[in-house]
Amino acid sequence: MPEAPTDEPAAAPAAGSAVVGRASVPAGAWPPAELTAAAVEALHNPGLVVIAGAPGTGRTSVLKRLGESFRGPVFSGGALAMLRGVPALPLSRAVRVRLPSHEAPLLAEAVRSRVRNGLLLLDDLQWADPLTIAALPAIAEHCRIVVTLRTPHRLPGDAERALRAAAQQAGAWLAMPPMPPDAAAALVRQLAPSASTAVVADLVRRAGGVPLAVAALAKHVAQGGTPRDTGDGLDKGLAYTVAGALADLNRPARTAMAALGLLGRPVTATVLGEGLTELVETGLVELTEGVAAPVSPYTAEVAAGLLDTAERAALHRRLATLVPPREAARHLAAAGAPAEAYQVAVTAAAAAESSGDRAELLLLACDLPGVDAEPQVRTAAARAALAAGRPGSCLRVLDPATTDPVAAVLRGEALLQQGNPVAAAAAVTAVTDDAPAEVIGGRDRIRLLSMLTTDPSGALARADELLKIHGDAPAHPGLRAAIAAVRAGTREPGWEYGLASAASAAGQAGDALAARWSAWLLVETLTADARLAEAAQAAAAAAAACAGDLAYSWQTRFLAAQLWCDALRGAEIDEVVRRAGDLADRTLPALARGYAVAAASLAEADGGLLAPARARLEALRNRPASAGPVLDWVSREAAWLDGRPDLAYEPGQDSALAGSPLVDGLRRITARWAAYDAGVTADAAAADAPLAPVRATLEAWKAPDRFAEAAAAWHELARREEVRCLLAQGLLEDAPQQAVPPLLEAERLAEEAGLIVLLGRARRALRRHSIRRDTRGRRAGDELTDRERDVLRLVANGEPTRRIAGQLGISRETVETHIRSGMRKLGARTRTEAAALAIEELG
């Protein structure tokens, strides 16, 4: 499929841009200077330089740069796809006269006499006529020539050999290298500044080092398109160019490239057959240890899109016989064979080794058009979806009209997991006592957990009754976990062991849902009681277990909870910002995203990066109800740290946002600080605070000499709250001998932990007592370089190392070197402190 011809000169690129293929790419991104330098070196004497590469790799850009840098007359021309049969057309366009078109020697002499010591540039040689190609070696004996050749091409084998021989004798044959990932990521960031790290990485991977693809995909995302679009939403010129190149492949090669597009992953060479050889020779596919991968996945997607309906269905069916059953089911479905896909999916699910794979296969079986999934398959799909942390999918596959008690229990469990206990209890109303023991245990579990939400004291009594009915401990893992949850909710002695043992028993019994749910409840309850180190440890262990079972939803939930605990503790602020920011850039369940954003925002605010913290919080839409109190407090705390007590203080208490005991207590403490800063009289309201450190802190506002005791209560729990207690003690004491020691200790602890805002407040308070600390400042004579300023500015914007590297077009190691150098010059202990100091310097 050739490009449409035109005799008009290409429009001049915008200032500061370069032509890549037929698209405009910001200058400096491409082509590589090394390749251009190699071409210039080869042109010191007459000879032939061939710039070869796949469509969109920047051959035209190299040609343009060589013409601009040449000192002397430049003759530019090129071949046209629709006029490839016109003799000597590319050369005639270059020298702008009619040329002999019967014999190659006469043609070569006519061109030589006009070009002489100038530079002859010919673009798109793959569309040139045989006479032009035959004349080039003779012209190159006397003139400097640069041509571009797209691969794949349809030049006869002897013609290509003649060109290679001429280039080797005098000149060079240069292959366009792929655009490095760092440079590609920087280009995506420039064209689509709002793209997340995950989107940038996906676009760079799909483009496969082809600058034209990078630019087109990035512009598409910048205009509101989705990263995975492959149809009309993308640049049609790009797809047309790629399609034209693919048309020059032989049929087996086109089929093999289309197969890679349909597979969407590397594959063993045997799957692609005889067409693989040409794909490797033309540089479209890389073959490593018998595994073939497309250099540009987007090119493979275009190849798949060129197939007509019948061809695509036939190729899907062929691939279904060559790939594992897990993939075969999807290929059969795409081939229009839903009945076969159903059987393959159900059989593969029975042999699946992870709950994630099992859920994916069974959900596919239930969603196939024209296939009425059997009730037992729908039940199995619902159970697998719950185990994988997908309650919405569970509800989707269950027939709402069914009276099956097993389905009713599964529906109730899904509603419970979605945070709707009233509807969950209603879903199991029709389950009678003559149902199987497994079903009765599930029913009683749902009723008990629903009661825990609506009547906690009644739930404890009901749990005791259920133990008499089902035994102590119940044989049903889910019910045992529910009873442990009730005891945890009322903080019965030994509740920690009850939840941990329930999770272990459920795991041994193969009830993944009960095991993960119990582990999650353990993490939540430990966090609510301010036992943050224990909660973080439990969350890390649970996340590792979920990763092994491909339970992505559960895994990310535990990872986010671990980061939230670390942020509250004030431990490793830089690491929390990095990991939580990376996690928040992924596609996450709502609850995991809420905790990840809260962790990153709190750590950024504590580290002095207040603008990124606010932006992150404001960008989060559809806040999950369970994470609402957490996000509400972080928003208030960030406002207080930013010197906006009016946004942090609230005299009343919204019960809907009270949250866990810890979050509710932190919210009260922040409100008390905001009232102090705003000069508002506020009641500390300490009597009903359930946590001892919170009560001690609020009571100390009435008796400042008790802040030392409150600080000690926070010492092993949360460094930031310990610092705030010491800071409050120093601020509320008038006598220097009582005020200075706690302020000095607050300064020390805040500096060690990287709590930049609290450190600043402690130092300002010390200056009130005429104590000016000899703080670490910049080293004499050490000024930040422009690059260090750029890096620290991006750190201040909340960008992680890999994103900074992509934006600036440098390696991650270089970014870290600039950060360490900036920290040394600014006298900062952490990167967040360095960024905060750099913000002050940069204004």
Side-chain angles (χ1 to χ4, degrees):
M1 190 179 296
E3 290 185 359
T6 175
D7 288 322
E8 297 297 326
S17 66
V19 175
V20 173
R22 296 292 184 264
S24 180
V25 174
W30 203 249
E34 295 82 358
L35 185 136
T36 306
V40 171
E41 178 68 23
L43 292 172
H44 283 171
N45 298 302
L48 175 65
V49 175
V50 179
I51 310 294
T57 50
R59 305 180 314 278
T60 303
S61 292
V62 176
L63 210 64
K64 181 175 181 292
R65 288 196 179 183
L66 292 173
E68 291 172 346
S69 63
F70 186 75
R71 296 183 179 181
V74 177
F75 301 85
S76 299
L80 297 174
M82 299 300 292
L83 299 176
R84 64 176 65 189
V86 178
L89 175 65
L91 295 169
S92 297
R93 295 182 68 201
V95 299
R96 300 185 183 280
V97 297
R98 293 179 62 86
L99 295 170
S101 57
H102 301 291
E103 295 184 9
L106 290 177
L107 175 61
E109 178 59 26
V111 174
R112 184 198 64 78
S113 65
R114 288 167 175 80
V115 175
R116 296 183 181 274
N117 294 324
L119 176 64
L120 176 62
L121 303 178
L122 298 180
D123 201 8
D124 291 328
L125 195 66
Q126 69 276 2
W127 292 323
D129 60 286
L131 183 63
T132 296
I133 295 173
L136 285 178
I139 300 173
E141 293 178 4
H142 306 281
C143 303
R144 296 172 177 85
I145 309 175
V146 183
V147 302
T148 66
L149 178 64
R150 189 207 65 201
T151 54
H153 56 75
R154 289 185 178 178
L155 297 183
D158 55 349
E160 181 178 346
R161 284 191 292 272
L163 290 174
R164 284 187 179 272
Q168 291 172 0
Q169 182 176 358
W173 188 287
L174 303 175
M176 290 295 300
M179 195 177 205
D182 286 349
L187 179 57
V188 174
R189 285 286 176 202
Q190 188 172 352
L191 298 175
S194 61
S196 68
T197 299
V199 168
V200 172
D202 186 40
L203 295 188
V204 170
R205 182 195 64 79
R206 287 183 67 202
V210 178
L212 178 59
V214 174
L217 293 170
K219 288 178 181 177
H220 173 65
V221 169
Q223 294 167 0
T226 61
R228 303 307 301 167
D229 281 347
T230 57
D232 294 338
L234 277 170
D235 182 359
K236 294 182 179 179
L238 169 61
Y240 198 62
T241 300
V242 173
L246 294 173
D248 286 343
L249 295 170
N250 62 33
R251 186 176 183 83
R254 290 198 303 272
T255 302
M257 198 67 183
L260 284 170
L262 295 179
L263 287 166
R265 64 171 178 84
V267 69
T268 56
T270 54
V271 173
L272 300 181
E274 60 180 302
L276 177 61
T277 301
E278 184 173 356
L279 294 178
V280 173
E281 290 175 350
T282 55
L284 293 176
V285 166
E286 293 178 338
L287 186 62
T288 305
E289 296 182 353
V291 176
V295 172
S296 170
Y298 176 75
T299 301
E301 293 168 10
V302 172
L306 294 175
L307 298 172
D308 62 32
T309 303
E311 289 175 325
R312 187 178 298 108
L315 185 53
H316 272 300
R317 182 173 284 279
R318 175 173 171 267
L319 290 173
T321 65
L322 300 172
V323 298
R326 178 173 174 268
E327 295 180 69
R330 293 196 176 278
H331 284 294
L332 287 170
E340 293 178 59
Y342 176 83
Q343 294 298 330
V344 171
V346 172
T347 303
E353 296 181 355
S354 70
S355 60
D357 284 345
R358 189 177 304 110
E360 181 181 348
L361 286 163
L362 290 173
L363 290 172
L364 169 66
C366 294
D367 291 337
L368 288 169
V371 176
D372 188 11
E374 299 164 290
Q376 63 269 27
V377 172
R378 291 191 174 276
T379 300
R383 184 175 286 108
L386 283 174
R390 301 170 62 177
S393 297
C394 170
L395 292 173
R396 188 185 75 248
V397 300
L398 290 174
D399 182 0
T402 183
T403 57
D404 179 26
V406 174
V409 169
L410 290 172
R411 179 181 296 279
E413 186 67 50
L415 291 168
L416 196 64
Q417 298 300 322
Q418 287 186 331
N420 194 345
V422 175
V428 298
T429 302
V431 178
T432 59
D433 291 337
D434 59 354
E438 177 71 16
V439 175
I440 294 175
R443 178 202 66 184
D444 290 347
R445 163 188 163 82
I446 293 168
R447 288 177 175 175
L448 180 61
L449 291 175
S450 299
M451 184 180 292
L452 179 61
T453 303
T454 57
D455 182 14
S457 58
L460 185 60
R462 178 58 180 164
D464 291 338
E465 294 176 5
L466 290 173
L467 288 176
K468 297 176 182 177
I469 299 172
H470 294 274
D472 190 3
H476 189 283
L479 180 58
R480 177 175 176 177
I483 291 174
V486 170
R487 289 177 170 172
T490 55
R491 302 303 191 274
E492 290 289 306
W495 65 265
E496 305 96 322
Y497 172 76
L499 275 178
S501 62
S504 176
Q508 293 175 6
D511 191 337
L513 172 62
R516 289 162 190 163
W517 182 83
S518 298
W520 175 250
L521 192 59
L522 177 62
V523 171
E524 275 198 319
T525 310
L526 289 171
T527 304
D529 287 357
R531 296 165 62 174
L532 301 175
E534 297 173 73
Q537 184 178 4
C546 292
D549 200 29
L550 302 183
Y552 175 78
S553 295
W554 282 106
Q555 178 195 4
T556 54
R557 183 189 297 191
F558 284 115
L559 287 174
Q562 179 191 0
L563 290 167
W564 170 239
C565 292
D566 290 342
L568 285 174
R569 294 170 61 205
E572 300 290 343
I573 285 181
D574 284 345
E575 186 67 9
V576 170
V577 171
R578 182 187 68 80
R579 292 179 58 201
D582 288 349
L583 186 62
D585 280 338
R586 304 181 192 177
T587 301
L588 296 176
L591 184 58
R593 181 171 301 281
Y595 277 113
V597 168
S601 301
L602 180 61
E604 285 173 333
D606 277 338
L609 304 181
L610 294 160
R614 287 196 304 271
R616 194 183 294 274
L617 289 165
E618 291 169 359
L620 182 64
R621 300 180 178 88
N622 301 322
R623 296 183 175 185
S626 52
V630 168
L631 292 164
D632 175 74
W633 172 69
V634 173
S635 298
R636 295 172 186 272
E637 181 70 4
W640 174 75
L641 290 169
D642 200 19
R644 296 295 307 275
D646 54 311
L647 299 179
Y649 171 70
E650 184 179 19
Q653 178 175 314
D654 184 352
S655 59
L657 293 174
S660 69
L662 175 61
V663 172
D664 180 46
L666 293 173
R667 189 165 174 267
R668 296 188 195 191
I669 292 172
T670 298
R672 189 63 189 82
W673 268 106
Y676 170 80
D677 288 349
V680 177
T681 302
D683 181 9
D688 60 341
L691 294 181
V694 174
R695 285 198 305 273
T697 303
L698 295 176
E699 289 170 353
W701 280 97
K702 299 177 181 179
D705 59 326
R706 300 183 60 181
F707 268 118
E709 177 185 342
W714 287 109
H715 179 67
E716 297 294 335
L717 304 179
R719 175 65 61 88
R720 64 187 316 281
E721 295 308 317
E722 180 183 6
V723 171
R724 286 213 289 186
C725 287
L726 294 169
L727 179 60
Q729 181 181 1
L731 290 173
L732 296 177
E733 291 284 359
D734 294 325
Q737 58 270 29
Q738 279 81 37
V740 171
L743 289 175
L744 291 175
E745 181 65 7
E747 179 194 39
R748 183 185 70 81
L749 294 174
E751 187 174 21
E752 288 179 356
L755 302 170
I756 304 303
V757 179
L758 296 180
L759 175 62
R761 289 198 65 152
R763 287 176 173 166
R764 288 195 297 274
L766 284 168
R767 287 197 290 269
R768 288 172 46 193
H769 297 284
S770 301
I771 296 178
R772 299 186 178 275
R773 304 289 292 159
D774 184 17
T775 58
R776 297 181 318 279
R778 69 164 57 255
R779 289 175 46 160
D782 279 355
E783 294 293 333
L784 293 175
T785 65
D786 290 342
R787 181 61 87 186
E788 288 166 352
R789 293 172 188 270
D790 292 340
V791 169
L792 291 176
R793 184 182 289 110
L794 291 171
V795 172
N797 289 335
E799 303 285 5
T801 298
R802 69 170 180 232
R803 194 181 298 177
I804 295 173
Q807 291 190 48
L808 299 181
I810 56 180
S811 68
R812 297 186 189 183
E813 292 75 14
T814 303
V815 171
E816 292 296 338
T817 298
H818 288 312
I819 292 174
R820 287 193 296 270
S821 178
M823 290 169 58
R824 175 183 60 80
K825 293 178 179 180
L826 294 170
R829 287 182 180 273
T830 67
R831 59 187 284 158
T832 48
E833 182 181 1
L837 293 172
I839 289 176
E840 295 179 6
E841 177 179 296
L842 297 171

